[in-house]
Amino acid sequence: MTKLVKSLEKWVSLGFIDKKQADLILRHESSLSQNSWVLVGFLILGIVVISVGIISLIAANWQQIPASIKLFADFSLLIICSLLILRAGNLKRDLQFDILLLFFILLCLASIGLIAQIYNANGEFYQALMLWSSITIVAFAAHRMFVPFIWFGGFLLGAIFTLLNSPLFYPVFQWNLPAVLMATTLFCACLSIAHKNSILTFTKETLHVVNIWFFIMGLISLACLEMEPRPSIPVDVISYSPGCILAIFLIFSILYNNLYRTVQKTILLLTLAVYFLFFYLATFQSIHDIVYAIFTLVILGLMAVFFASCQMRTLFQYLVIIIGIRFIILYFQALGGLAATGVGLIISGMFIIAMTILWHKYRLALAIITERWVR
Amino acid sequence: MIRSKKYLIFTLLLPILVLLAIIIEKKYILATGQEVILPISGYDPRDILSGHYLIYTVDYNVAGICEQSKTIQSGYICLNPKFFSFTSPSACKLRIKGVCQYGRFQAGIEKYYIPEDKAIELDKQIKEKKASILISVTPTGQAQVKKLLVE
């Protein structure tokens, strides 16, 4: 609010707005929620610390306390938390509602651990995560994004490890991590495009969460492909079949989408083609490290242009930063030993500073130019 | 966001009911199953979620367990009389149902949670082959660990 007051004073002094307009703006902003991201962040941190503490207490295995008492306490806590969530919902206390919801879903995870401990239930951590994500869909009742974001992250983590480690999926994925990450990335893309095509309907917050996780999984899948050495055992192309099936769905969804312009559809289809070509070359052919970098930069560049065309400026700017970082890494890869010398490091430092200044000064203009170019 | 109060109540009750159902299932197996003692040998890793636990190999004293099994396949160990079968054995008074995974039989009884302060001592005793497990087995072959028995 202090920042806003200073900005308003400056605008009044420059004659952009008059005093009356400034007062109206200030009154309006004051009436909105005052919950800053710092407050929310610390509340989340507090809840996560409490939850980790509860899990640690369980992990200490309290043999002194009978199992029935532990379970009674656990379920009492779950029920009390549920009632508090309902109460917060009735009183329209959105922040309290979301914080309690986060605590509730983390408590559910702790409860699964407690039951597994008491009854010596066999099972892997990823199986617990899948069970947890299937029973905590209440996460989508949250008003803010952080609760469904955490849920979606837990679900994806459980799904990735399930696809990798579960004997049920071995005939398909064959412990091929890049194939699993590709399938997961394309799954997130399919969810997003299904909303665009009105096959699925998400709220704005849920769609943001899906898009963010698509972004994260895309980066992870590209990074994994670059870092994981070529498989020492032959990898069957069948491990990529789920990715191919999802890609077919994506292709048709993109082609039959009425909201995207032709240029946007072209960019998306081209990105998909380059993405698949990258995975094929990295897995089944022998390619130079620089080629990995070029493919990554092309894919990131195409997605940046697409985000700009959709006026998703935040994601566009994050991608520009990542492209810049990847260029710096490419520079070190290309120069190798020379970069380790004093001259190399000086040039690298100047390059980093120059890129940072250019990005800071022209990031908005770059976004606008790219949006217009795509239009 | 779930806007309907009815759906909110349902989604809040869902995890509580599911967890209760899991507990009831476990308690049923422990209460109604036939008790069997089986010797074990093993080692101790740590579970992120549930604390210290012992993983061990159960000595069923049955020949040919999971021999010639595919990557993953259901299997049954009959304890009376002693034999192994990939299909549910009709002439068996006491059977344990499990899964053959890469030649190993897993019946969901290969793990026992232990207090942190007793972990090293118990691990040592099990390595010296002085431990067994008391399990409860239902007529359908579902087994649940009841106790860890150490000499």
Side-chain angles (χ1 to χ4, degrees):
Chain A
M1 193 53 72
T2 314
K3 197 176 166 185
L4 177 64
V5 168
K6 283 183 184 169
S7 298
L8 287 170
E9 282 172 2
K10 189 176 171 187
W11 296 334
V12 168
S13 68
L14 288 170
F16 296 153
I17 54 173
D18 58 31
K19 187 88 175 61
K20 197 176 168 188
Q21 285 170 318
D23 289 338
L24 274 171
I25 292 168
L26 198 57
R27 215 174 299 141
H28 170 73
E29 289 297 319
S30 300
S31 69
L32 295 175
S33 171
Q34 293 296 308
N35 298 317
S36 72
W37 64 269
V38 175
L39 168 70
V40 174
F42 275 104
L43 285 172
I44 294 169
L45 180 65
I47 290 296
V48 170
V49 167
I50 290 171
S51 306
V52 169
I54 290 172
I55 290 170
S56 298
L57 285 171
I58 292 165
N61 203 349
W62 282 349
Q63 289 296 98
Q64 296 84 2
I65 301 173
S68 51
I69 302 287
K70 282 190 257 191
L71 288 172
F72 178 76
D74 180 51
F75 276 86
S76 300
L77 210 52
L78 280 170
I79 291 166
I80 291 168
C81 195
S82 309
L83 294 171
L84 287 173
I85 288 168
L86 287 171
R87 182 175 169 273
N90 287 337
L91 295 174
K92 305 266 187 258
R93 290 178 185 167
D94 293 352
L95 180 60
Q96 198 180 88
F97 182 92
D98 288 353
I99 295 296
L100 284 167
L101 201 56
L102 177 63
F103 180 68
F104 180 79
I105 66 171
L106 292 177
L107 188 58
C108 287
L109 187 61
S111 303
I112 291 169
L114 179 66
I115 292 168
Q117 183 200 75
I118 289 169
Y119 294 102
N120 299 295
N122 278 220
E124 302 297 332
F125 185 62
Y126 62 83
Q127 291 169 320
L129 272 180
M130 291 310 291
L131 172 63
W132 169 79
S133 55
S134 65
I135 62 174
T136 52
I137 51 172
V138 70
F140 291 95
H143 300 85
R144 288 171 178 75
M145 280 186 347
F146 64 84
V147 182
F149 180 83
I150 287 170
W151 181 92
F152 209 77
F155 166 72
L156 285 177
L157 189 65
I160 288 168
F161 278 92
T162 302
L163 295 175
L164 270 177
N165 295 308
S166 172
L168 276 172
F169 293 100
Y170 173 76
V172 177
F173 287 104
Q174 299 164 12
W175 300 321
N176 186 352
L177 179 61
V180 168
L181 291 175
M182 176 212 255
T184 321
T185 304
L186 293 179
F187 171 73
C188 296
C190 285
L191 285 178
S192 184
I193 205 132
H195 172 84
K196 281 277 184 192
N197 288 10
S198 305
I199 298 169
L200 295 171
T201 311
F202 297 133
T203 59
K204 194 176 73 170
E205 292 80 19
T206 305
L207 185 63
H208 279 326
V209 166
V210 169
N211 287 338
I212 291 169
W213 275 110
F214 161 67
F215 180 78
I216 294 170
M217 289 312 306
L219 290 176
I220 292 172
S221 68
L222 291 174
C224 170
L225 206 55
E226 288 209 44
M227 287 190 299
E228 176 141 323
R230 273 193 65 226
S232 53
I233 52 168
V235 172
D236 205 332
V237 71
I238 202 159
S239 60
Y240 290 98
S241 54
C244 292
I245 292 167
L246 290 167
I248 291 168
F249 172 79
L250 269 176
I251 290 167
F252 280 105
S253 301
I254 291 166
L255 287 171
Y256 289 105
N257 182 286
N258 299 323
L259 299 171
Y260 290 142
R261 297 189 299 275
T262 309
V263 66
Q264 287 174 312
K265 291 182 187 182
T266 309
I267 293 169
L268 283 176
L269 292 171
L270 189 59
T271 310
L272 197 57
V274 175
Y275 188 66
F276 264 86
L277 182 61
F278 186 22
F279 272 82
Y280 169 74
L281 290 175
T283 309
F284 300 105
Q285 304 293 331
S286 178
I287 56 176
H288 196 273
D289 285 351
I290 304 296
V291 178
Y292 280 96
I294 292 168
F295 266 96
T296 301
L297 287 168
V298 167
I299 291 165
L300 291 177
L302 285 169
M303 282 314 299
V305 171
F306 175 75
F307 286 143
S309 72
C310 296
Q311 296 187 314
M312 294 160 82
R313 287 188 184 168
T314 310
L315 283 176
F316 169 79
Q317 286 168 0
Y318 283 142
L319 267 179
V320 168
I321 294 169
I322 291 165
I323 289 169
I325 293 169
R326 190 63 189 87
F327 256 120
I328 292 167
I329 296 170
L330 175 61
Y331 167 79
F332 279 100
Q333 279 179 293
L335 292 183
L338 183 62
T341 65
V343 172
L345 285 169
I346 289 166
I347 294 171
S348 308
M350 286 166 65
F351 187 51
I352 290 166
I353 290 168
M355 279 186 62
T356 308
I357 292 170
L358 283 171
W359 176 81
H360 180 72
K361 215 171 165 184
Y362 297 111
R363 66 184 190 276
L364 189 58
L366 183 62
I368 293 168
I369 288 166
T370 314
E371 286 163 23
R372 284 183 190 158
W373 175 67
V374 178
R375 218 172 287 152
Chain B
M1 201 185 92
I2 300 169
R3 297 190 190 280
S4 161
K5 193 170 178 181
K6 191 171 62 173
Y7 284 124
L8 177 62
I9 293 170
F10 169 73
T11 51
L12 281 170
L13 278 176
L14 177 66
I16 296 170
L17 293 174
V18 167
L19 294 172
L20 267 172
I22 293 170
I23 291 169
I24 290 168
E25 191 214 357
K26 300 289 179 199
K27 278 201 173 301
Y28 172 78
I29 295 171
L30 289 172
T32 61
Q34 187 176 336
E35 290 187 354
V36 179
I37 295 175
L38 296 168
I40 60 170
S41 57
Y43 58 92
D44 172 29
R46 185 184 178 95
D47 184 271
I48 298 166
L49 201 56
S50 302
H52 270 94
Y53 66 96
L54 283 163
I55 287 184
Y56 40 77
T57 307
V58 182
D59 182 10
Y60 295 100
N61 197 21
V62 170
I65 297 174
C66 295
E67 267 181 13
Q68 295 171 352
S69 67
K70 296 172 195 167
T71 314
I72 177 169
Q73 197 174 357
S74 298
Y76 295 82
I77 288 178
C78 186
L79 294 174
N80 184 13
K82 285 189 184 288
F83 67 91
F84 173 79
S85 169
F86 285 110
T87 54
S88 182
S90 48
C92 180
K93 292 172 189 168
L94 180 65
R95 78 188 94 164
I96 296 176
K97 185 181 171 185
V99 172
C100 289
Q101 290 185 12
Y102 314 109
R104 280 192 69 188
F105 185 76
Q106 306 269 345
I109 56 170
E110 292 78 21
K111 202 187 267 188
Y112 189 84
Y113 294 97
I114 51 171
E116 201 167 340
D117 54 345
K118 292 196 166 65
I120 297 168
E121 186 195 330
L122 277 168
D123 182 46
K124 190 184 163 204
Q125 286 177 334
I126 286 164
K127 280 177 182 166
E128 289 168 6
K129 298 185 183 173
K130 289 180 184 174
S132 7
I133 47 166
L134 172 66
I135 62 171
S136 182
V137 187
T138 65
T140 56
Q142 275 187 293
Q144 183 80 33
V145 178
K146 259 185 154 171
K147 268 185 205 172
L148 178 71
L149 305 171
V150 182
E151 283 177 23

